[in-house]
Amino acid sequence: HVQLVESGGGSVQAGGSLRLSCAASDMYSRYCMGWFRQAPGKEREGVATIDSDATTSYADSVKGRFTVSRDNAKNTLYLQMNSLKPEDTAMYYCAARFSSGFCSLDVTNFTWWDQGTQVTVS
């Protein structure tokens, strides 16, 4: 069982920036990692993923504004969010699964999840 501990998040004005971090308990370098979000009344959606070989994928809504990265030495995943918009307001989650096949934005493909952190853009 992999434990994921997320930090960062909070409230920011539109146009501002935030960085989320997610620390994994072990075997991190072998994981496909992802960031997801869920706004009230909406389904959870994929934001960005990064595979064990550092291949990345982004939702169209965040391309050019968000950057996903990983530090395998620190077992940590990051999401740098710039030019934030009110529509980015949501609970953000990090997730992991063993790297196998394409590391897609599909919510159903991920095995382990953290408890999430709120991001509010006003």
Side-chain angles (χ1 to χ4, degrees):
H1 179 72
V2 175
Q3 291 184 324
L4 301 171
V5 179
E6 187 175 348
S7 60
S11 297
V12 66
Q13 291 187 336
S17 298
L18 285 173
R19 188 176 85 155
L20 304 180
S21 300
C22 177
S25 56
D26 62 3
M27 300 174 69
Y28 175 75
S29 63
R30 295 169 56 183
Y31 297 155
C32 157
M33 303 292 297
W35 289 102
F36 298 82
R37 67 186 181 187
Q38 187 168 17
K42 295 187 177 181
E43 292 186 353
R44 191 170 298 188
E45 63 176 1
V47 174
T49 63
I50 183 166
D51 209 343
S52 57
D53 64 355
T55 301
T56 58
S57 295
Y58 294 93
D60 288 342
S61 59
V62 306
K63 282 181 181 178
R65 300 188 299 121
F66 290 13
T67 302
V68 60
S69 61
R70 64 192 298 163
D71 185 333
N72 289 340
K74 296 181 178 180
N75 285 5
T76 303
L77 173 74
Y78 302 99
L79 183 68
Q80 178 66 44
M81 304 184 291
N82 298 328
S83 302
L84 282 161
K85 304 175 181 180
E87 50 264 44
D88 295 317
T89 295
M91 185 73 77
Y92 282 71
Y93 300 88
C94 73
R97 65 170 178 84
F98 283 113
S99 181
S100 176
F102 180 55
C103 186
S104 75
L105 293 165
D106 188 343
V107 172
T108 63
N109 285 343
F110 285 79
T111 307
W112 301 289
W113 295 81
D114 82 315
Q115 292 187 339
T117 190
Q118 179 68 35
V119 171
T120 302
V121 185
S122 59

